[in-house]
């Protein structure tokens, strides 16, 4: 039974979703003290150090070929920018809203596979995608009527860039790249990018102390487990089928937000989130036919 679970892409995606929701909680807590670039830096350095400590003693090689390196670079850059925008959205929006906007990635993923990978969607799939973006408009409406409209658009951009990263993760898995190397390069490049942004930011860097060290630790651990689990899920399963399970993060994050911050969803927000999640799952589950 345990062996079957370890081989199941669905199991690893559920683990990833739960840990990503926990990561969102730590980001929300940390946003009161740290900038988005600082949070991304600590989140990615944790993954880089963890992977290095496990892999280096085993003597495994980090070297990759030219074409494979380009895939790693594309995955890392898109993933890094997506993560940076996602953390910004979490800091400025209700947790459930920020997570939902970021997890529009399956909708964008379907569109990318249609326009760039030359796949032909079914008619029902087109309808569900359109309905999903109707849900996005409903969810964004309150932010456009307030000072949070920019954060809402940034959260949506995070979802788009995440879809590009997931396509690259799937390609790397299909090419035989091990999960640890994919996470290693993502953590490495993202740490460098976030580190440079930290040096360029106008505000003073936040010193680590007893009051915030537990936030950084929790962020790093939850993010590393989530990243490894997600990479394994995408590399072993069908991209769209695995992506449809990503909406469990929305459920987990909403529950955390209700219990920790007493966040209350309006009727329109609840309808929008349900519409986005439902349409994303349907568009992924129905599959795509090649032309």
């Amino acid at each position: 039974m345990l062996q079957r679970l370890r081989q199941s892409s669905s199991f690893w995606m559920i683990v990833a979703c739960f840990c990503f929701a926990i990561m969102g909680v730590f980001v929300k807590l940390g946003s009161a003290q740290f900038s988005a670039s600082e949070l991304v830096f600590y989140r990615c350095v944790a993954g880089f150090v963890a992977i290095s400590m496990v892999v280096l003693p085993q003597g495994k090689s980090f070297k990759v070929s030219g074409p494979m390196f380009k895939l790693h670079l594309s995955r890392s850059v898109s993933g890094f920018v997506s993560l940076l925008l996602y953390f910004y959205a979490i800091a400025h929006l209700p947790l459930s809203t920020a997570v939902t906007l970021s997890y529009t990635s399956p909708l964008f993923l379907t569109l990318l596979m249609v326009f760039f990978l030359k796949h032909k969607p079914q008619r029902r799939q087109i309808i569900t995608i359109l309905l999903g973006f109707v849900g996005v408009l409903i969810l964004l409406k309150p932010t456009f009527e307030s000072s949070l409209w920019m954060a809402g658009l940034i959260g949506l951009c995070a979802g788009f860039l995440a879809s590009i990263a997931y396509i690259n993760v799937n390609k790397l898995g299909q090419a035989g790249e091990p999960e640890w190397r994919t996470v290693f390069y993502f953590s490495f490049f993202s740490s460098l990018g976030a580190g440079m942004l930290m040096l360029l930011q106008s505000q003073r860097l936040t010193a680590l102390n007893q009051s915030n060290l537990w936030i950084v630790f929790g962020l790093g651990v939850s993010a590393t487990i989530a990243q490894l689990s997600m990479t394994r899920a995408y590399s072993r399963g069908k991209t769209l089928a695995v992506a449809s399970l990503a909406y469990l993060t929305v459920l987990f994050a909403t529950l955390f937000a209700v219990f920790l911050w007493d966040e209350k969803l309006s009727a329109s927000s609840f309808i929008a989130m349900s519409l986005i999640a439902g349409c994303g799952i349907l568009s992924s589950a129905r599959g795509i036919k090649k032309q």
Side-chain angles (χ1 to χ4, degrees), residues 61-281:
S61 175
F62 293 100
K63 294 182 180 180
V64 292
S65 62
M68 202 63 65
F69 179 78
K70 289 181 180 180
L71 272 180
H72 277 293
L73 185 61
S74 177
R75 183 269 178 271
S76 299
V77 172
S78 57
F80 163 63
V81 179
S82 174
L83 190 65
L84 189 67
L85 299 181
Y86 180 40
F87 280 16
Y88 179 90
I90 290 178
H92 294 83
L93 294 171
L95 181 60
S96 55
T97 301
V99 172
T100 303
L101 290 174
S102 176
Y103 278 84
T104 53
S105 53
L107 298 175
F108 286 117
L109 183 61
T110 304
L111 293 177
L112 288 175
M113 295 186 75
V114 170
F115 290 106
F116 293 99
L117 300 184
K118 306 302 181 182
H119 288 193
K120 185 177 181 180
Q122 298 176 2
R123 183 179 300 177
R124 292 180 180 178
Q125 195 170 36
I126 295 175
I127 295 174
T128 55
I129 291 173
L130 292 175
L131 288 175
F133 281 109
V134 169
V136 171
L137 292 176
I138 296 174
L139 189 63
L140 283 176
K141 185 179 179 181
T143 66
F144 283 125
E145 295 175 349
S146 67
S147 59
L148 301 177
W149 63 271
M150 180 60 73
L153 290 180
I154 286 176
L156 193 61
C157 289
F160 173 73
L161 290 172
S163 66
I164 297 176
Y166 294 156
I167 287 178
N168 288 316
V169 168
N170 183 257
K171 288 182 177 179
L172 287 165
Q174 295 300 319
E177 277 293 275
E179 296 96 346
W180 65 265
R181 196 148 57 200
T182 300
V183 176
F184 171 82
Y185 277 106
F186 167 70
S187 300
F188 174 72
F189 284 116
S190 297
S191 297
L192 287 180
M196 288 188 289
L197 288 179
M198 288 169 63
L199 295 177
L200 295 174
Q201 70 181 29
S202 57
Q203 70 182 76
R204 188 175 181 180
L205 297 179
T206 304
L208 294 177
N209 51 53
Q210 292 182 348
S211 66
N212 57 32
L213 192 59
W214 66 277
I215 295 177
V216 172
F217 179 79
L219 172 62
V221 171
S222 60
T224 301
I225 295 175
Q227 190 69 47
L228 285 170
S229 300
M230 185 204 70
T231 302
R232 174 165 291 192
Y234 272 100
S235 63
R236 295 189 177 189
K238 295 180 179 180
T239 306
L240 291 175
V242 173
S244 67
L245 291 173
Y247 286 102
L248 287 175
T249 303
V250 176
L251 173 62
F252 293 139
T254 300
L255 292 176
F256 283 134
V258 170
F259 286 113
L260 296 177
W261 291 284
D262 196 28
E263 288 187 8
K264 296 180 180 179
L265 295 176
S266 64
S268 61
S269 295
F270 180 80
I271 292 172
M273 291 171 64
S274 300
L275 195 59
I276 294 170
C279 290
I281 292 172

Side-chain angles (χ1 to χ4, degrees), residues 11-25 103 222 225-226 229 245-246 248-250 252-253 255-256:
F11 168 75
W12 289 111
M13 196 59 188
I14 292 172
V15 172
C17 290
F18 183 74
C19 291
F20 274 131
I22 294 177
M23 181 193 77
V25 170
Y103 278 84
S222 60
I225 295 175
S229 300
L245 291 173
L248 287 175
T249 303
V250 176
F252 293 139
L255 292 176
F256 283 134

